[in-house]
């Protein structure tokens, strides 16, 4: 078979200039901006909302928390624009993220970012923008976040089963991200219940939140043993993924928070026995789940200390230290409110101190990585790997 190049006659004249080498090739700044960046919004929003519910009345704390929530709103707006441009100009890369089992679960972060900022609007933002504007903002973000979260909870596991090729023993805590999103809806949805007309509208929304609690809880219960089993039989996670062990805290702390929110709004919305049942359930469920969360926190922290000792560097997975820990703070605050025990007040304050420290480190390192361009650069080729080349086939 004769190729088209063999039919070409030599052309006299000066030789064409050689193509520019890899050193001068420019990669668009947004090409590698993945859905994992929404974790910055989640982690920032939870610092504000968790701090606002801490026991005691520290002067100025609520103002600081409201400012942090406003920062999360700004980050959300910037990321929504940036990700829209990413889909418009780098659609091939966006589709590659969906087909990548390591990246697709992060689409759950989009839902949780919307929900976290929306919930903070009613909890904090109303101080600055007014109740009407906060209610409108929360309604829009809750609706969008819930639809996206329920879609991701089905679509991502479907893609993992049908399109992704996952080797045995490669289970990752990242798999929990799309499954936790409905639990976040369940936890922030009750904030909207008092703003609906009395009667069936309030009951419908509250029970819809309970249903989403069940969706997330049972999906987590069938996934967590796979992750725990992989950790025990497959050895430590790769260094860059080690912080993702903290993601397991997300469904634990968020579910404890959710049952407390149900107990808060159920009186006057549901018949007496059901309203009282939610108060009992908040304690009977929240206490053992919080105990398991503290055990997992210690286990995950031990793995992180080991990873740091053997050279773990900063990556965007460090944001796993923020939102999951924040849900444990709100869970402890729920138990303190339901039981009246000072020990849960102390636990909430201690966990919040850990949350703020983790957020500060992640935020500073992220800004530094953005300014240097490292975090938005493409993946580096393995040492010794051949550089990609392009060739004409016609």
């Amino acid at each position: 078979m004769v190729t088209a190049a063999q039919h070409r006659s030599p052309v006299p004249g000066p030789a064409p200039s050689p193509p520019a080498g890899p050193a001068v090739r420019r990669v668009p700044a947004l090409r590698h901006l993945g859905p994992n960046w929404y974790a910055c919004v989640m982690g920032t929003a939870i610092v504000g909302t968790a701090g606002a519910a801490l026991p005691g009345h520290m002067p100025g704390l609520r103002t600081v928390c409201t400012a942090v929530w406003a920062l999360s709103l700004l980050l959300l707006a910037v990321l929504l624009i940036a990700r829209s441009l990413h889909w418009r100009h780098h659609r091939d890369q966006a589709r590659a993220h969906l087909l990548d089992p390591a990246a697709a679960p992060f689409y759950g972060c989009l839902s949780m970012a919307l929900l976290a900022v929306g919930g903070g609007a009613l909890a904090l933002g109303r101080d600055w923008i007014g109740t009407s504007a906060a209610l409108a903002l929360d309604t829009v973000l809750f609706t969008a976040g819930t639809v996206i979260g329920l879609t991701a909870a089905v679509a991502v596991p479907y893609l993992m089963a049908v399109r992704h090729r996952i080797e045995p023993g490669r289970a990752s805590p990242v798999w929990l991200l799309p499954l936790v999103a409905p639990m976040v809806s369940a936890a922030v949805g009750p904030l909207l219940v008092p703003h609906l007309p009395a009667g069936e509208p309030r009951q419908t929304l509250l029970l819809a939140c309970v249903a989403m609690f069940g969706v997330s809880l049972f999906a987590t219960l069938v996934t967590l043993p796979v992750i725990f089993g992989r950790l025990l039989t497959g050895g430590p996670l790769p260094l860059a993924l080690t912080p993702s062990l903290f993601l397991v805290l997300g469904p634990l702390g968020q579910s404890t928070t959710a049952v407390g929110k149900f107990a808060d709004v159920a009186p006057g919305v549901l018949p007496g026995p059901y309203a009282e049942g939610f108060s009992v359930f908040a304690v009977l469920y929240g206490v053992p789940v919080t105990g398991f969360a503290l055990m997992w926190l210690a286990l995950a922290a031990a793995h992180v200390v080991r990873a740091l000792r053997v050279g773990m560097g900063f990556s965007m997975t460090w944001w796993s230290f923020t939102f999951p820990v924040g849900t444990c703070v709100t869970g402890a605050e729920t138990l303190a409110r339901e039981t009246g025990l000072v020990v849960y007040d102390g636990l909430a304050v201690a966990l919040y101190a850990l949350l703020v420290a983790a957020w500060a480190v992640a935020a500073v390192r992220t800004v530094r990585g953005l300014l240097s361009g490292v975090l938005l650069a493409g993946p580096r080729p393995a040492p010794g790997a051949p550089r990609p080349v392009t060739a004409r086939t016609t």
Side-chain angles (χ1 to χ4, degrees):
M1 181 176 179
V2 181
T3 65
Q6 291 172 308
H7 282 293
R8 238 180 247 129
S9 299
V11 179
S17 301
V24 298
R25 184 184 178 190
R26 293 182 179 180
V27 178
L30 298 180
R31 178 165 180 79
H32 300 286
L33 183 74
N36 59 320
W37 278 81
Y38 286 111
C40 302
V41 180
M42 299 159 51
T44 302
I46 198 72
V47 171
T49 53
L54 286 175
H57 299 283
M58 183 180 298
L61 177 61
R62 185 173 178 85
T63 301
V64 172
C65 290
T66 306
V68 173
W69 169 81
L71 175 61
S72 72
L73 178 61
L74 176 62
L75 291 175
L76 177 62
V78 171
L79 273 175
L80 287 174
I81 294 172
R83 285 287 296 165
S84 298
L85 293 174
H86 173 83
W87 268 95
R88 180 177 179 180
H89 297 291
H90 306 288
R91 194 163 297 176
D92 61 324
Q93 185 70 13
R95 290 173 177 171
H97 286 156
L98 282 172
L99 297 178
D100 183 354
F106 285 98
Y107 273 89
C109 291
L110 168 57
S111 167
M112 291 185 281
L114 295 169
L115 293 165
V117 174
L122 274 180
L124 291 166
R126 58 187 174 87
D127 293 354
W128 287 8
I129 63 176
T131 301
S132 298
L135 177 60
L137 179 61
D138 189 19
T139 300
V140 172
L141 295 182
F142 173 77
T143 303
T146 298
V147 171
I148 294 172
L150 291 174
T151 301
V154 175
V156 173
Y158 175 82
L159 287 173
M160 293 174 66
V162 175
R163 298 296 298 275
H164 301 167
R165 295 294 177 265
I166 302 174
E167 299 177 5
R170 298 296 296 272
S172 167
V174 172
W175 292 3
L176 292 171
L177 287 172
L179 307 180
V180 180
M183 188 67 78
V184 181
S185 292
V188 302
L191 295 174
L192 291 169
V193 170
H195 298 278
L196 293 175
E200 189 168 340
R202 293 185 181 181
Q203 294 178 0
T204 300
L205 178 56
L206 177 56
L207 292 182
C209 292
V210 176
M212 289 187 286
F213 168 86
V215 168
S216 182
L217 176 64
F218 290 110
T220 299
L221 289 177
V222 299
T223 305
L224 188 54
V226 179
I227 298 170
F228 197 17
R230 180 258 176 269
L231 188 63
L232 295 180
T233 61
L237 294 177
L239 294 184
L241 282 178
T242 301
S244 68
L245 287 171
F246 276 70
L247 295 176
V248 175
L249 298 175
L252 303 176
Q254 198 66 276
S255 61
T256 302
T257 303
V259 295
K261 297 295 184 183
F262 300 159
D264 290 342
V265 302
V269 175
L270 297 176
Y274 298 106
E276 295 173 2
F278 274 118
S279 295
V280 174
F281 183 59
V283 176
L284 295 183
Y285 175 89
V287 170
V289 169
T290 299
F292 178 72
L294 293 176
M295 183 277 287
W296 190 273
L297 175 62
L299 176 64
H303 276 267
V304 168
V305 170
R306 172 197 166 274
L308 288 171
R309 287 178 175 174
V310 296
M312 180 182 73
F314 175 75
S315 67
M316 289 300 291
T317 55
W318 282 37
W319 283 96
S320 302
F321 299 142
T322 57
F323 188 79
V325 173
T327 66
C328 292
V329 175
T330 56
E333 291 168 347
T334 293
L335 290 176
R337 188 169 60 252
E338 294 295 329
T339 64
L341 296 179
V342 177
V343 65
Y344 287 113
D345 286 331
L347 178 62
V349 172
L351 290 174
Y352 188 71
L354 176 63
L355 168 63
V356 172
W359 178 82
V361 172
V364 170
R365 298 295 293 271
T366 299
V367 171
R368 189 180 301 171
L370 280 173
L371 294 177
S372 66
V374 172
L375 291 181
L376 290 178
R380 298 178 181 177
R387 290 180 177 177
V389 297
T390 56
R392 295 180 66 104
T393 57
T394 58

